[in-house]
Amino acid sequence: MNLYEKTIHKNSIYNGAIIDLEVHDVVLPDGQTSKRELVYHNGAVAVCAITPNNEVILVKQFRKPAEKVMLEIPAGKLELNEIREEAAKRELEEETGYIAENLELITEMYGSPGFSNEKISIYLAKDLKKGEMNLDDDEFIELEFYHLKDINKLLQSQELEDAKTIIALQHLLLNYNHYN
Amino acid sequence: MNLYEKTIHKNSIYNGAIIDLEVHDVVLPDGQTSKRELVYHNGAVAVCAITPNNEVILVKQFRKPAEKVMLEIPAGKLELNEIREEAAKRELEEETGYIAENLELITEMYGSPGFSNEKISIYLAKDLKKGEMNLDDDEFIELEFYHLKDINKLLQSQELEDAKTIIALQHLLLNYNHYN
């Protein structure tokens, strides 16, 4: 079966700083039409960074949509035309003050594929050097450091609720299991 | 530091079938104000279901936001006032024709915590029985079955791009590693 849905009409609802909203009329595989509500986002990057002390750097920040403080790996939006790996290095240094010279791609993921095209590239960073923190004006965060041997316990605690962070830490457990 | 951001004004932009969009003026921890673009969603459930043949059931469907067919564990939106575990059983049977009497919660996750409150509860289902498929009118999917011994290869292939699916399959590898 050809699962493709062709857009036959676009209605632009909102153009914002972070997201745009459109409603499309689409033709379904059986020829009927339906509506799709679509949130467009420029994409984001995230970094699972391991310090020379074998600690993972996590960021605590208030997330307005869920109205709670969440614990996440450092991450941020792509700037216009920015290369993903460069964005990842920039966000890591801005949020944590650490510089990563080499990044390894863990995976790319869509967090909400049903309504949003936001794609997050998740990187692993080792061999960190000291750089300079530089937060955005509207960014307020606290850093936490978790030793690799405590990652399994952190995952089991259900304290983590952010998809990219769960993926990155499960990846560490699967690939660096001498720390378990 | 108190990271909380208090909303001082809400602007409702859109009320849709799946999502609502609001823009809030918030007070930041330093007393300055900023805007937050917020996509509200009723929440969703997903099920990593293992057949009596030790196969994981995956669903191929076209995702309009990314304009591509994606491979995902069965999932769906909560209906109004629906209990999450009941929704998970309903979605599993509707999409795959399998009934799960007992579900085990793997984790709950926010896929896009920066702009959306969509929370997905991911369940593990074993001891499946045959029921009846019953797709929504605008739902077109194909089922694929992957044996547990092939899950590691599937994860490594980078073919999976859906966060909930990556989390569920990593969880299987971490907890059922006699299949690796």
Side-chain angles (χ1 to χ4, degrees), chain A residues 5 7 17 37 64 110 161, chain B residues 5 7 17 37 64 110 161:
Chain A
E5 299 175 359
T7 292
E37 298 166 349
K64 190 68 195 171
Y110 292 86
E161 295 187 290
Chain B
E5 299 175 358
T7 292
E37 297 166 351
K64 190 68 194 173
Y110 292 85
E161 296 186 289

Side-chain angles (χ1 to χ4, degrees), chain B residues 56-68:
Chain B
V56 175
I57 310 174
L58 296 179
V59 168
K60 272 173 87 168
Q61 65 187 309
F62 184 74
R63 292 302 205 172
K64 190 68 194 173
E67 295 283 352
K68 65 167 85 167

Side-chain angles (χ1 to χ4, degrees), chain A residues 122-171:
Chain A
I122 307 174
Y123 295 91
L124 180 66
K126 292 180 286 195
D127 306 322
L128 304 180
K129 294 183 179 157
K130 279 283 185 184
E132 226 167 281
M133 266 180 88
N134 179 22
L135 298 173
D136 292 342
D137 286 346
D138 66 347
E139 198 170 35
F140 295 85
I141 65 173
E142 287 176 359
L143 299 183
E144 296 204 350
F145 295 81
Y146 286 83
H147 196 278
L148 284 172
K149 70 177 167 45
D150 298 323
I151 293 302
N152 195 20
K153 204 189 315 170
L154 182 61
L155 276 166
Q156 301 290 335
S157 74
Q158 307 272 346
E159 192 187 344
L160 300 173
E161 295 187 290
D162 169 53
K164 63 185 175 294
T165 305
I166 296 170
I167 288 174
L169 297 190
Q170 289 193 145
H171 176 86

Side-chain angles (χ1 to χ4, degrees), chain A residues 58-91:
Chain A
L58 296 179
V59 168
K60 272 174 87 166
Q61 65 188 310
F62 184 74
R63 292 303 206 172
K64 190 68 195 171
E67 295 283 352
K68 65 167 87 168
V69 172
M70 292 178 67
L71 193 60
E72 303 173 36
I73 55 174
K77 296 173 294 292
L78 286 178
E79 291 174 1
L80 196 65
N81 298 322
E82 192 175 26
I83 293 168
R84 284 179 174 263
E85 197 166 319
E86 294 307 312
K89 290 179 182 179
R90 176 182 55 71
E91 286 287 350

